[in-house]
Amino acid sequence: EEGAGAGAGTEAKKKREGIPIEVGINFHRILDVNEITSIVDLLVWFRQRWVDPRLSWDPELYGGLTAVTFWIGDGTGPGGETS
């Protein structure tokens, strides 16, 4: 017997519709500019926001909870540098 959520992702796989994603970047500080190597070190906040319908729930069953926010912390740039 299949579990209650076993077929939950099947419909989404059939449709393969995109999900709108909001992307924002806030520049907070220029840390360094190296004109010789053309490298700029920046302090930025990069934010992404989307709603994935596969992760929905009934807020009444969870004390009125309507959204969840995750903080992933410091990241790395394309060159592998860490912030």
Side-chain angles (χ1 to χ4, degrees):
E1 182 177 328
E2 292 184 15
T10 305
E11 192 64 30
K13 287 180 184 177
K14 288 179 187 175
K15 292 183 181 181
R16 289 288 186 199
E17 294 178 3
I19 297 174
I21 299 175
E22 296 176 28
V23 178
I25 187 166
N26 293 327
F27 292 92
H28 289 279
R29 190 176 308 153
I30 298 173
L31 302 174
D32 187 40
V33 176
N34 187 325
E35 294 178 18
I36 296 171
T37 61
S38 299
I39 295 176
V40 178
D41 290 325
L42 303 169
L43 177 60
V44 300
W45 287 0
F46 184 73
R47 179 179 292 195
Q48 296 174 316
R49 177 180 285 188
W50 68 91
V51 175
D52 188 336
R54 299 170 298 174
L55 301 174
S56 63
W57 64 87
D58 183 352
E60 291 182 13
L61 299 176
Y62 296 93
L65 182 67
T66 59
V68 178
T69 301
F70 294 94
W71 172 256
I72 300 188
D74 293 343
T76 59
E81 297 86 5
T82 59
S83 55

Coordinates of all heavy atoms in Angstrom, one line a residue:
E1 N 0.8 -1.2 0.0 CA 0.0 0.0 0.0 C 0.9 1.2 0.0 O 1.9 1.3 0.7 CB -0.9 0.0 1.2 CG -1.8 1.2 1.3 CD -2.7 1.1 2.5 OE1 -3.1 -0.1 2.9 OE2 -3.1 2.1 3.1
E2 N 0.5 2.2 -0.8 CA 1.3 3.5 -0.9 C 0.9 4.4 0.3 O -0.2 4.3 0.8 CB 1.0 4.2 -2.2 CG 1.5 3.5 -3.4 CD 1.2 4.3 -4.6 OE1 0.9 5.5 -4.5 OE2 1.3 3.7 -5.7
G3 N 1.9 5.2 0.7 CA 1.7 6.1 1.8 C 0.8 7.3 1.3 O 0.6 7.4 0.1
A4 N 0.4 8.1 2.3 CA -0.6 9.2 2.0 C 0.0 10.2 1.0 O -0.7 10.7 0.1 CB -1.0 9.9 3.2
G5 N 1.3 10.4 1.1 CA 1.9 11.4 0.2 C 2.7 10.8 -1.0 O 3.4 11.5 -1.6
A6 N 2.6 9.5 -1.2 CA 3.4 8.9 -2.2 C 3.2 9.4 -3.6 O 4.1 9.5 -4.4 CB 3.1 7.4 -2.2
G7 N 2.0 9.8 -4.0 CA 1.7 10.3 -5.3 C 1.7 11.8 -5.4 O 1.3 12.4 -6.4
A8 N 2.1 12.5 -4.4 CA 2.0 14.0 -4.3 C 2.8 14.7 -5.4 O 2.4 15.7 -6.0 CB 2.4 14.5 -2.9
G9 N 4.0 14.2 -5.7 CA 4.8 14.8 -6.7 C 4.5 14.4 -8.1 O 5.0 14.9 -9.1
T10 N 3.7 13.3 -8.3 CA 3.5 12.8 -9.6 C 2.8 13.8 -10.6 O 3.2 13.9 -11.7 CB 2.6 11.5 -9.5 OG1 3.2 10.6 -8.6 CG2 2.4 10.8 -10.9
E11 N 1.8 14.5 -10.1 CA 1.1 15.4 -10.9 C 2.0 16.6 -11.4 O 2.0 17.0 -12.5 CB -0.1 16.0 -10.2 CG -1.1 16.8 -11.1 CD -1.7 15.9 -12.2 OE1 -1.9 14.7 -12.0 OE2 -2.0 16.5 -13.2
A12 N 2.9 17.0 -10.4 CA 3.8 18.1 -10.7 C 4.8 17.7 -11.8 O 5.2 18.5 -12.7 CB 4.5 18.6 -9.5
K13 N 5.2 16.4 -11.8 CA 6.2 15.9 -12.8 C 5.6 15.9 -14.1 O 6.2 16.1 -15.1 CB 6.7 14.6 -12.3 CG 7.6 14.6 -11.2 CD 8.1 13.2 -10.8 CE 9.0 13.2 -9.6 NZ 9.4 11.9 -9.2
K14 N 4.3 15.6 -14.2 CA 3.6 15.5 -15.5 C 3.5 16.8 -16.2 O 3.7 17.0 -17.4 CB 2.2 14.9 -15.3 CG 2.1 13.4 -15.0 CD 0.7 13.0 -14.8 CE 0.6 11.6 -14.3 NZ -0.8 11.2 -14.1
K15 N 3.2 17.9 -15.4 CA 2.9 19.2 -16.0 C 4.2 19.9 -16.3 O 4.3 20.6 -17.3 CB 2.1 20.0 -15.0 CG 0.7 19.5 -14.9 CD -0.1 20.4 -14.0 CE -1.5 19.9 -13.9 NZ -2.3 20.8 -13.0
R16 N 5.2 19.8 -15.4 CA 6.5 20.5 -15.6 C 6.4 22.0 -15.8 O 7.0 22.6 -16.7 CB 7.4 19.9 -16.7 CG 7.9 18.5 -16.4 CD 9.0 18.7 -15.4 NE 9.6 17.4 -15.1 CZ 10.3 17.1 -14.1 NH1 10.5 18.0 -13.2 NH2 10.9 15.9 -14.0
E17 N 5.5 22.6 -15.1 CA 5.3 24.1 -15.2 C 6.4 24.8 -14.3 O 6.8 24.3 -13.3 CB 3.9 24.5 -14.7 CG 2.8 23.9 -15.6 CD 1.5 24.3 -15.1 OE1 1.3 25.0 -14.1 OE2 0.5 23.8 -15.7
G18 N 6.8 25.9 -14.7 CA 7.7 26.7 -14.0 C 7.1 27.4 -12.8 O 5.9 27.5 -12.7
I19 N 7.9 27.8 -11.8 CA 7.5 28.5 -10.7 C 8.2 29.9 -10.7 O 9.4 30.0 -10.9 CB 8.0 27.8 -9.4 CG1 7.3 26.4 -9.3 CG2 7.7 28.6 -8.1 CD1 7.8 25.6 -8.1
P20 N 7.4 31.0 -10.6 CA 7.9 32.3 -10.6 C 8.8 32.5 -9.4 O 8.5 32.1 -8.2 CB 6.7 33.2 -10.5 CG 5.5 32.4 -10.8 CD 5.9 31.0 -10.5
I21 N 10.0 33.1 -9.6 CA 11.0 33.3 -8.5 C 11.3 34.8 -8.5 O 11.7 35.4 -9.5 CB 12.3 32.5 -8.7 CG1 11.9 31.0 -8.7 CG2 13.3 32.8 -7.6 CD1 13.1 30.1 -9.0
E22 N 11.2 35.4 -7.3 CA 11.6 36.8 -7.1 C 13.1 36.8 -6.7 O 13.5 36.0 -5.8 CB 10.8 37.4 -6.0 CG 9.3 37.6 -6.3 CD 8.6 38.1 -5.1 OE1 9.2 38.9 -4.3 OE2 7.4 37.8 -4.9
V23 N 13.9 37.6 -7.3 CA 15.3 37.7 -7.0 C 15.7 39.1 -6.7 O 15.3 40.0 -7.4 CB 16.2 37.1 -8.1 CG1 17.6 37.3 -7.8 CG2 15.8 35.7 -8.5
G24 N 16.4 39.3 -5.6 CA 16.8 40.7 -5.2 C 18.3 40.6 -4.7 O 18.7 39.6 -4.2
I25 N 19.0 41.7 -4.9 CA 20.3 41.8 -4.4 C 20.5 43.2 -3.8 O 20.1 44.2 -4.4 CB 21.4 41.6 -5.5 CG1 22.8 41.5 -4.9 CG2 21.3 42.5 -6.6 CD1 23.8 40.9 -5.8
N26 N 21.0 43.3 -2.6 CA 21.2 44.6 -1.9 C 22.7 44.7 -1.8 O 23.4 43.9 -1.1 CB 20.6 44.6 -0.5 CG 19.1 44.6 -0.6 OD1 18.5 45.2 -1.6 ND2 18.4 44.0 0.3
F27 N 23.3 45.8 -2.3 CA 24.7 46.0 -2.2 C 24.9 46.8 -0.9 O 24.4 47.9 -0.7 CB 25.2 46.8 -3.4 CG 25.2 46.0 -4.6 CD1 24.2 46.1 -5.5 CD2 26.3 45.2 -4.9 CE1 24.2 45.3 -6.7 CE2 26.3 44.5 -6.1 CZ 25.3 44.5 -7.0
H28 N 25.7 46.3 0.0 CA 25.9 47.0 1.3 C 27.2 47.7 1.4 O 27.3 48.7 2.0 CB 25.8 46.0 2.5 CG 24.4 45.5 2.7 ND1 23.5 46.3 3.4 CD2 23.7 44.5 2.3 CE1 22.3 45.7 3.4 NE2 22.4 44.6 2.7
R29 N 28.3 47.1 0.8 CA 29.6 47.7 1.0 C 30.6 47.2 -0.1 O 30.5 46.1 -0.5 CB 30.2 47.4 2.4 CG 31.4 48.1 2.7 CD 31.9 47.8 4.1 NE 30.8 47.9 5.1 CZ 30.7 47.2 6.2 NH1 31.6 46.4 6.5 NH2 29.7 47.4 7.0
I30 N 31.4 48.1 -0.6 CA 32.5 47.7 -1.4 C 33.7 47.5 -0.5 O 34.2 48.4 0.2 CB 32.9 48.8 -2.5 CG1 31.7 49.0 -3.4 CG2 34.1 48.4 -3.3 CD1 31.8 50.2 -4.4
L31 N 34.2 46.3 -0.5 CA 35.3 45.9 0.5 C 36.7 46.2 -0.2 O 37.6 46.6 0.5 CB 35.2 44.5 0.9 CG 33.9 44.1 1.6 CD1 33.8 42.6 1.8 CD2 33.7 44.8 2.9
D32 N 36.8 45.9 -1.5 CA 38.1 46.1 -2.1 C 37.9 46.2 -3.6 O 37.0 45.5 -4.2 CB 39.0 44.9 -1.8 CG 40.5 45.2 -2.3 OD1 40.9 46.3 -2.2 OD2 41.1 44.2 -2.7
V33 N 38.8 47.0 -4.3 CA 38.8 47.0 -5.7 C 40.2 46.9 -6.2 O 41.1 47.7 -5.8 CB 38.2 48.4 -6.3 CG1 38.3 48.5 -7.8 CG2 36.8 48.6 -5.8
N34 N 40.5 45.9 -7.0 CA 41.8 45.6 -7.5 C 41.7 45.9 -9.0 O 41.2 45.1 -9.8 CB 42.3 44.2 -7.2 CG 43.7 44.0 -7.6 OD1 44.2 44.6 -8.6 ND2 44.4 43.2 -6.8
E35 N 42.2 47.1 -9.4 CA 42.1 47.4 -10.9 C 43.0 46.6 -11.7 O 42.7 46.4 -12.9 CB 42.5 48.9 -11.0 CG 41.5 49.8 -10.4 CD 41.9 51.3 -10.5 OE1 42.7 51.6 -11.3 OE2 41.3 52.1 -9.7
I36 N 44.1 46.1 -11.2 CA 45.0 45.3 -12.0 C 44.4 43.9 -12.4 O 44.5 43.5 -13.5 CB 46.4 45.1 -11.2 CG1 47.1 46.4 -11.1 CG2 47.3 44.1 -12.0 CD1 48.3 46.4 -10.2
T37 N 43.8 43.2 -11.4 CA 43.2 41.9 -11.6 C 41.7 42.0 -12.0 O 41.1 41.0 -12.3 CB 43.4 41.0 -10.4 OG1 42.7 41.6 -9.3 CG2 44.8 40.8 -10.1
S38 N 41.1 43.2 -11.9 CA 39.7 43.4 -12.2 C 38.8 42.6 -11.3 O 37.8 42.1 -11.7 CB 39.4 43.1 -13.7 OG 40.1 43.9 -14.5
I39 N 39.2 42.6 -10.0 CA 38.4 41.9 -9.0 C 37.9 42.9 -8.0 O 38.6 43.7 -7.5 CB 39.3 40.8 -8.2 CG1 39.7 39.7 -9.2 CG2 38.5 40.2 -7.1 CD1 40.6 38.7 -8.6
V40 N 36.6 42.7 -7.7 CA 35.9 43.6 -6.7 C 35.3 42.7 -5.7 O 34.6 41.7 -5.9 CB 34.8 44.4 -7.4 CG1 34.1 45.3 -6.4 CG2 35.3 45.3 -8.5
D41 N 35.6 43.0 -4.4 CA 35.0 42.3 -3.3 C 33.9 43.1 -2.7 O 34.0 44.3 -2.4 CB 36.1 42.1 -2.1 CG 37.1 41.1 -2.5 OD1 36.8 40.1 -3.2 OD2 38.3 41.3 -2.1
L42 N 32.7 42.5 -2.7 CA 31.5 43.2 -2.3 C 30.8 42.5 -1.1 O 30.9 41.3 -1.0 CB 30.5 43.3 -3.4 CG 30.9 43.9 -4.7 CD1 29.9 43.7 -5.8 CD2 31.1 45.4 -4.5
L43 N 30.2 43.2 -0.3 CA 29.3 42.7 0.7 C 27.9 42.9 0.2 O 27.4 44.0 0.1 CB 29.5 43.3 2.1 CG 28.6 42.9 3.2 CD1 28.8 41.4 3.5 CD2 28.9 43.7 4.5
V44 N 27.2 41.8 -0.1 CA 25.8 41.9 -0.7 C 24.9 40.9 0.1 O 25.3 39.9 0.6 CB 25.8 41.6 -2.2 CG1 26.6 42.6 -2.9 CG2 26.2 40.2 -2.5
W45 N 23.6 41.2 0.0 CA 22.6 40.2 0.4 C 21.8 39.8 -0.8 O 21.3 40.7 -1.6 CB 21.6 40.9 1.4 CG 22.2 41.1 2.8 CD1 23.4 40.8 3.2 CD2 21.5 41.7 3.9 NE1 23.6 41.2 4.5 CE2 22.4 41.7 5.0 CE3 20.2 42.2 4.1 CZ2 22.1 42.2 6.2 CZ3 19.9 42.7 5.3 CH2 20.8 42.7 6.4
F46 N 21.8 38.5 -1.1 CA 21.1 38.0 -2.2 C 19.9 37.3 -1.7 O 20.0 36.3 -0.9 CB 22.1 37.0 -3.0 CG 21.5 36.5 -4.3 CD1 21.4 37.3 -5.4 CD2 21.1 35.2 -4.3 CE1 20.9 36.8 -6.6 CE2 20.6 34.7 -5.5 CZ 20.5 35.5 -6.6
R47 N 18.7 37.7 -2.2 CA 17.5 37.1 -1.7 C 16.7 36.5 -2.8 O 16.6 37.0 -3.9 CB 16.6 38.2 -1.0 CG 15.3 37.7 -0.5 CD 14.5 38.8 0.1 NE 15.2 39.1 1.3 CZ 14.7 39.9 2.3 NH1 13.5 40.4 2.2 NH2 15.4 40.2 3.3
Q48 N 16.2 35.3 -2.6 CA 15.3 34.6 -3.5 C 14.0 34.2 -2.8 O 14.0 33.8 -1.6 CB 15.9 33.3 -4.0 CG 17.2 33.5 -4.8 CD 17.8 32.2 -5.2 OE1 17.9 31.3 -4.4 NE2 18.3 32.1 -6.4
R49 N 12.9 34.4 -3.5 CA 11.6 34.0 -2.8 C 10.7 33.4 -3.9 O 10.6 33.8 -5.0 CB 10.9 35.3 -2.3 CG 9.5 35.1 -1.7 CD 8.9 36.3 -1.3 NE 9.6 36.7 0.0 CZ 9.3 37.7 0.7 NH1 8.3 38.5 0.4 NH2 9.9 38.0 1.8
W50 N 10.1 32.3 -3.5 CA 9.1 31.6 -4.3 C 8.1 30.8 -3.5 O 8.3 30.6 -2.3 CB 9.9 30.6 -5.3 CG 10.5 29.5 -4.6 CD1 10.0 28.2 -4.4 CD2 11.9 29.4 -4.1 NE1 10.9 27.4 -3.7 CE2 12.1 28.2 -3.5 CE3 12.9 30.4 -4.0 CZ2 13.3 27.8 -2.9 CZ3 14.1 30.0 -3.3 CH2 14.2 28.7 -2.8
V51 N 7.1 30.3 -4.1 CA 6.1 29.5 -3.5 C 6.0 28.2 -4.3 O 5.8 28.2 -5.5 CB 4.7 30.2 -3.5 CG1 3.6 29.2 -3.0 CG2 4.7 31.5 -2.7
D52 N 6.3 27.1 -3.6 CA 6.3 25.8 -4.2 C 5.0 25.1 -3.8 O 4.8 24.8 -2.6 CB 7.5 25.0 -3.7 CG 7.6 23.6 -4.5 OD1 6.6 23.1 -5.0 OD2 8.7 23.1 -4.5
P53 N 4.0 24.9 -4.7 CA 2.8 24.4 -4.3 C 2.9 22.9 -3.8 O 2.0 22.5 -3.1 CB 2.0 24.4 -5.6 CG 3.0 24.5 -6.7 CD 4.1 25.2 -6.1
R54 N 4.0 22.3 -4.0 CA 4.1 20.9 -3.4 C 4.4 21.0 -1.9 O 4.3 19.9 -1.2 CB 5.3 20.2 -4.1 CG 5.1 20.0 -5.6 CD 6.3 19.5 -6.3 NE 7.4 20.5 -6.1 CZ 8.6 20.4 -6.5 NH1 9.0 19.2 -7.0 NH2 9.5 21.3 -6.3
L55 N 4.7 22.1 -1.4 CA 5.0 22.3 0.0 C 3.9 23.0 0.8 O 4.2 23.8 1.7 CB 6.3 23.0 0.2 CG 7.5 22.3 -0.4 CD1 8.8 23.2 -0.3 CD2 7.8 21.0 0.2
S56 N 2.7 22.9 0.4 CA 1.6 23.6 1.0 C 1.0 22.7 2.1 O 1.1 21.5 2.2 CB 0.5 23.9 -0.1 OG 0.0 22.7 -0.6
W57 N 0.3 23.4 3.0 CA -0.4 22.8 4.1 C -1.6 23.7 4.5 O -1.8 24.8 4.1 CB 0.5 22.7 5.3 CG 1.0 24.0 5.9 CD1 0.4 24.7 6.8 CD2 2.2 24.7 5.5 NE1 1.2 25.9 7.1 CE2 2.3 25.8 6.3 CE3 3.2 24.4 4.6 CZ2 3.3 26.8 6.1 CZ3 4.2 25.4 4.5 CH2 4.3 26.5 5.2
D58 N -2.4 23.1 5.4 CA -3.6 23.8 5.9 C -3.2 24.6 7.2 O -2.9 23.9 8.2 CB -4.7 22.8 6.2 CG -6.0 23.5 6.7 OD1 -6.0 24.7 6.9 OD2 -7.0 22.7 6.9
P59 N -3.1 25.9 7.1 CA -2.7 26.7 8.3 C -3.5 26.4 9.6 O -2.9 26.5 10.7 CB -2.9 28.1 7.8 CG -2.9 28.1 6.4 CD -3.5 26.8 6.0
E60 N -4.7 26.0 9.4 CA -5.5 25.8 10.6 C -5.0 24.5 11.4 O -5.2 24.4 12.6 CB -7.0 25.5 10.2 CG -7.7 26.8 9.8 CD -9.1 26.6 9.4 OE1 -9.7 25.5 9.8 OE2 -9.7 27.5 8.8
L61 N -4.4 23.6 10.7 CA -3.8 22.4 11.4 C -2.5 22.7 12.0 O -2.0 21.9 12.8 CB -3.6 21.3 10.3 CG -4.9 20.8 9.6 CD1 -4.6 19.8 8.6 CD2 -5.9 20.2 10.7
Y62 N -1.9 23.9 11.8 CA -0.6 24.2 12.3 C -0.6 25.6 13.0 O 0.3 26.4 12.8 CB 0.5 24.2 11.2 CG 0.6 22.8 10.6 CD1 -0.1 22.4 9.5 CD2 1.5 21.9 11.2 CE1 0.0 21.1 9.0 CE2 1.6 20.6 10.8 CZ 0.9 20.2 9.6 OH 1.0 18.9 9.1
G63 N -1.6 25.8 13.8 CA -1.7 27.0 14.6 C -1.7 28.3 13.9 O -1.2 29.3 14.3
G64 N -2.2 28.3 12.6 CA -2.3 29.5 11.8 C -1.0 29.8 11.1 O -0.9 30.9 10.4
L65 N 0.0 28.9 11.1 CA 1.3 29.1 10.4 C 1.0 29.2 8.9 O 0.5 28.2 8.3 CB 2.2 28.0 10.7 CG 3.6 28.1 10.1 CD1 4.4 29.3 10.7 CD2 4.4 26.8 10.3
T66 N 1.4 30.3 8.2 CA 1.1 30.4 6.8 C 2.4 30.5 5.9 O 2.3 30.3 4.7 CB 0.3 31.7 6.5 OG1 1.1 32.8 7.0 CG2 -1.0 31.7 7.2
A67 N 3.5 30.6 6.6 CA 4.8 30.7 5.8 C 6.0 30.3 6.7 O 5.9 30.4 7.9 CB 5.0 32.1 5.3
V68 N 7.0 29.8 6.0 CA 8.2 29.4 6.7 C 9.4 30.1 6.0 O 9.5 30.1 4.8 CB 8.4 27.9 6.7 CG1 9.7 27.5 7.3 CG2 7.3 27.2 7.3
T69 N 10.3 30.7 6.8 CA 11.5 31.3 6.2 C 12.8 30.6 6.6 O 12.9 30.2 7.7 CB 11.6 32.8 6.7 OG1 10.4 33.5 6.3 CG2 12.8 33.5 6.1
F70 N 13.7 30.4 5.6 CA 14.9 29.7 5.9 C 16.1 30.7 5.7 O 16.1 31.4 4.8 CB 15.1 28.5 4.9 CG 14.1 27.4 5.1 CD1 13.0 27.4 4.4 CD2 14.4 26.4 6.1 CE1 12.1 26.3 4.5 CE2 13.5 25.4 6.2 CZ 12.3 25.4 5.5
W71 N 17.1 30.6 6.6 CA 18.3 31.4 6.4 C 19.4 30.4 6.2 O 19.6 29.5 6.9 CB 18.6 32.2 7.7 CG 19.9 32.9 7.7 CD1 21.0 32.5 8.3 CD2 20.3 34.0 7.0 NE1 22.0 33.3 8.1 CE2 21.6 34.3 7.2 CE3 19.6 34.9 6.1 CZ2 22.3 35.4 6.7 CZ3 20.2 36.0 5.6 CH2 21.6 36.2 5.9
I72 N 20.1 30.6 5.1 CA 21.2 29.7 4.7 C 22.5 30.2 5.1 O 23.5 29.5 5.2 CB 21.1 29.4 3.2 CG1 19.7 28.7 2.9 CG2 22.2 28.5 2.7 CD1 19.5 28.2 1.6
G73 N 22.7 31.5 5.4 CA 23.9 32.0 5.9 C 24.9 32.4 4.8 O 24.5 32.6 3.6
D74 N 26.1 32.5 5.1 CA 27.2 32.9 4.1 C 27.3 31.9 3.0 O 27.2 30.7 3.2 CB 28.5 33.1 4.8 CG 28.5 34.2 5.8 OD1 27.6 35.1 5.7 OD2 29.4 34.3 6.7
G75 N 27.6 32.5 1.8 CA 27.8 31.6 0.7 C 29.1 31.9 0.0 O 29.9 32.6 0.5
T76 N 29.3 31.3 -1.2 CA 30.5 31.5 -1.9 C 30.2 32.1 -3.3 O 29.1 31.9 -3.8 CB 31.2 30.1 -2.1 OG1 30.4 29.2 -2.8 CG2 31.6 29.6 -0.8
G77 N 31.2 32.7 -3.8 CA 31.0 33.3 -5.2 C 31.4 32.3 -6.2 O 31.9 31.2 -5.9
P78 N 31.3 32.7 -7.5 CA 31.7 31.7 -8.6 C 33.1 31.3 -8.5 O 33.5 30.2 -9.0 CB 31.4 32.6 -9.8 CG 30.6 33.8 -9.4 CD 30.8 33.9 -8.0
G79 N 34.0 32.1 -8.0 CA 35.4 31.8 -7.9 C 35.7 30.9 -6.7 O 36.9 30.6 -6.5
G80 N 34.7 30.6 -5.9 CA 34.9 29.8 -4.7 C 35.3 30.6 -3.4 O 35.5 30.0 -2.4
E81 N 35.3 31.9 -3.6 CA 35.7 32.7 -2.4 C 34.5 32.7 -1.4 O 33.3 32.7 -1.8 CB 36.0 34.2 -2.8 CG 37.1 34.3 -3.7 CD 36.8 34.2 -5.2 OE1 35.6 34.0 -5.5 OE2 37.7 34.2 -6.0
T82 N 34.8 32.7 -0.1 CA 33.7 32.7 0.9 C 33.6 34.1 1.4 O 34.5 34.9 1.4 CB 34.0 31.8 2.0 OG1 35.3 32.1 2.6 CG2 34.1 30.3 1.6
S83 N 32.4 34.4 1.9 CA 32.2 35.7 2.5 C 32.5 35.7 4.0 O 32.6 34.7 4.6 CB 30.8 36.2 2.3 OG 29.8 35.3 2.7

